[in-house]
């Protein structure tokens, strides 16, 4: 079986989808990364339909991106994705984001875990032996998604009740909703004076409609800007952790 | 000057963007309608850039759609748009939504008002005299967007503070955020037992980051399902009104 190892998708940044800073938002970037990963899994023969035949689905476990700049209104950009490695427990998928001229503007890394659709327990990737030839030796020069923790000394707290518009096809809170909860801990002025250079996100548990989430965050100054850690918990258990790394504008 | 009078855009419904009912969500449909309208305005020579040269921008005033069915995961669909009419005060733009086989699955209507970018007062469309040839005589057999009012006897109330992720390029709350606030008044079970057959939305005022909105809604039973009216107000003034018409599943 021949597999398509490297997949590309080109997008156009619509003006109507730009964020207040006039460019692709972090939440839409994550949405696009997940879409492109899903397309690539289909092309590898381990997409939604194939996995379901084995009673298995891919669950996004962790993701990180670093962006030097973001596409602005009307600009085209391309996301290229490939599998870096996989083992018995998870698959590591990388991404490069390039501008219309083919210049690199960012990278991303993601870890996906196959789980049994019914038991919600980890499933075995061994059933997909043809994936052995999937990994591509291509550089992705950013650190893996960080292991994150609940901030020990929160500087800010909040709450949020998950809504119909936060739910995905599986009736869990969609991955992108947590990106929104994290970026919403800061103000428009914060994003005017600094760039979101890196985002790490760690998906711990599934949340559902009506769940009331407690949000705690901690922002600390660094030599170059700020780091904000955000934890979203339901019933005292963290469901999602996120870290925003901002670099101050010169 | 030759104008492109009818514009089409074909989308693929990603599984990862499907709602709990397994299809295109109302908020993504509105997002796509606005995107396609913006592309069409560009092609007519009255897009964002051209209008700005006149110190003018288009503001979405009212919108309605009726859908017989919604695209499901992996399905392609096409949005076709054309200007039905324009006068001194506003432009009326229609849409037809078709499935991959070219069969109609829905229609939409929208009203756009040109406003002066600085004064935020209505501007004159007379400056765009070449738009006289834009209207197309093509049927759009749904009622115009309804004039809506704040429900006199609310059956439910809530509140919401606008977040960074709700803001658009102009730093106003994005049109789609109000669709989300409206659909979130009902439960997943409501959408499992009925189909959203029509949505009317009436954009009254601009809202901003940190504005605390009061939401009131009223759901009444009809012969075929329910009608829910939703009003979102800031400082006692309605900023957005929306009506959801659901038809019970047989």
């Amino acid at each position: 079986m021949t597999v398509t190892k490297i997949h590309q998708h080109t997008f156009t940044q619509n003006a109507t989808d730009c964020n207040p800073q006039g460019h692709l938002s972090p939440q839409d970037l994550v949405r696009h990364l997940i879409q492109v990963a899903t397309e690539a899994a289909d092309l590898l023969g381990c997409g939604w339909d194939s996995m379901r035949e084995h009673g298995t689905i891919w669950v996004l476990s962790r993701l990180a991106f670093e962006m030097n700049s973001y596409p602005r209104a009307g600009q085209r950009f391309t996301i290229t994705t490939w599998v870096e490695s996989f083992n018995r427990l998870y698959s590591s998928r990388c991404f490069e984001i390039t501008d219309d001229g083919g210049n690199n503007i960012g990278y991303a890394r993601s870890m996906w875990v196959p789980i049994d659709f019914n038991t919600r327990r980890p499933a075995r990737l061994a059933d997909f032996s043809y994936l052995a030839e999937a990994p591509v030796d291509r550089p992705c020069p950013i650190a893996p998604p960080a292991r994150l923790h609940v901030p020990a000394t929160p500087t800010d707290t909040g709450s949020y009740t998950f809504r119909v518009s936060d739910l995905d096809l599986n009736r869990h809170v969609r991955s992108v909703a947590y990106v929104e909860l994290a970026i919403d801990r800061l103000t428009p002025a914060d994003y005017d004076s600094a760039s979101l250079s890196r985002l790490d996100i760690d998906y711990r548990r599934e949340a559902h409609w009506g769940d009331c989430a407690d949000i705690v965050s901690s922002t600390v100054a660094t030599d170059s800007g700020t780091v904000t850690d955000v934890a979203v918990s339901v019933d005292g258990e963290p469901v999602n952790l996120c870290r925003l790394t901002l670099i101050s504008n010169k």
Side-chain angles (χ1 to χ4, degrees), chain A residues 7-234:
Chain A
H7 171 59
Q8 290 193 321
H9 190 130
T10 296
F11 297 86
T12 300
Q13 180 58 29
N14 303 311
T16 47
D17 288 331
C18 283
N19 71 358
Q21 286 70 43
H23 59 64
L24 172 66
S25 65
Q27 63 269 36
D28 277 351
L29 173 57
V30 171
R31 177 171 159 140
H32 294 328
L33 292 173
I34 292 171
Q35 177 193 335
V36 173
T38 305
E39 292 168 356
D42 281 337
L43 293 169
L44 274 178
C46 62
W48 183 259
D49 292 335
S50 313
M51 294 291 275
R52 272 251 283 240
E53 288 172 19
H54 291 76
T56 309
I57 56 170
W58 288 112
V59 171
L60 179 57
S61 171
R62 284 193 268 160
L63 181 144
F65 68 72
E66 288 191 17
M67 295 292 279
N68 301 317
S69 68
Y70 291 86
R72 306 190 80 82
Q75 291 182 345
R76 286 158 56 93
F77 60 100
T78 297
I79 298 177
T80 302
T81 185
W82 65 98
V83 173
E84 183 185 52
S85 64
F86 78 94
N87 60 31
R88 212 164 42 86
L89 298 172
Y90 65 86
S91 166
S92 169
R93 174 174 288 286
C94 297
F95 307 84
E96 179 172 6
I97 303 101
T98 48
D99 67 16
D100 206 11
N103 308 298
N104 174 273
I105 54 172
Y107 289 99
R109 287 178 168 276
S110 59
M111 287 170 52
W112 299 77
V113 174
I115 68 164
D116 184 287
F117 191 76
N118 294 311
T119 65
R120 317 306 286 179
R121 300 283 303 161
R124 296 188 316 153
L125 271 180
D127 292 339
F128 295 87
S129 54
Y130 59 88
L131 288 180
E133 57 178 296
V136 171
D137 185 17
R138 180 182 163 122
C140 185
I142 66 168
R147 283 188 182 278
L148 299 174
H149 304 280
V150 178
T153 53
T155 53
D156 195 17
T157 62
S159 66
Y160 182 83
T161 302
F162 291 111
R163 315 187 279 159
V164 164
S165 56
D166 291 320
L167 302 183
D168 67 13
L169 186 61
N170 296 314
R171 305 197 169 215
H172 301 134
V173 172
R174 58 179 75 242
S175 310
V176 170
Y178 297 108
V179 179
E180 294 178 350
L181 285 182
I183 66 165
D184 290 342
R185 302 311 296 168
L186 301 177
T187 68
D190 290 328
Y191 295 105
D192 289 340
S193 60
S195 286
L196 180 65
S197 68
R198 180 174 168 110
L199 180 144
D200 293 87
I201 192 158
D202 186 346
Y203 295 95
R204 292 292 182 88
R205 296 166 72 94
E206 292 160 347
H208 305 88
W209 180 81
D211 283 351
C212 185
D214 293 307
I215 309 170
V216 297
S217 60
S218 159
T219 298
V220 298
T222 63
D223 287 348
S224 53
T226 56
V227 172
T228 300
D229 281 313
V230 182
V232 176
S233 300
V234 172

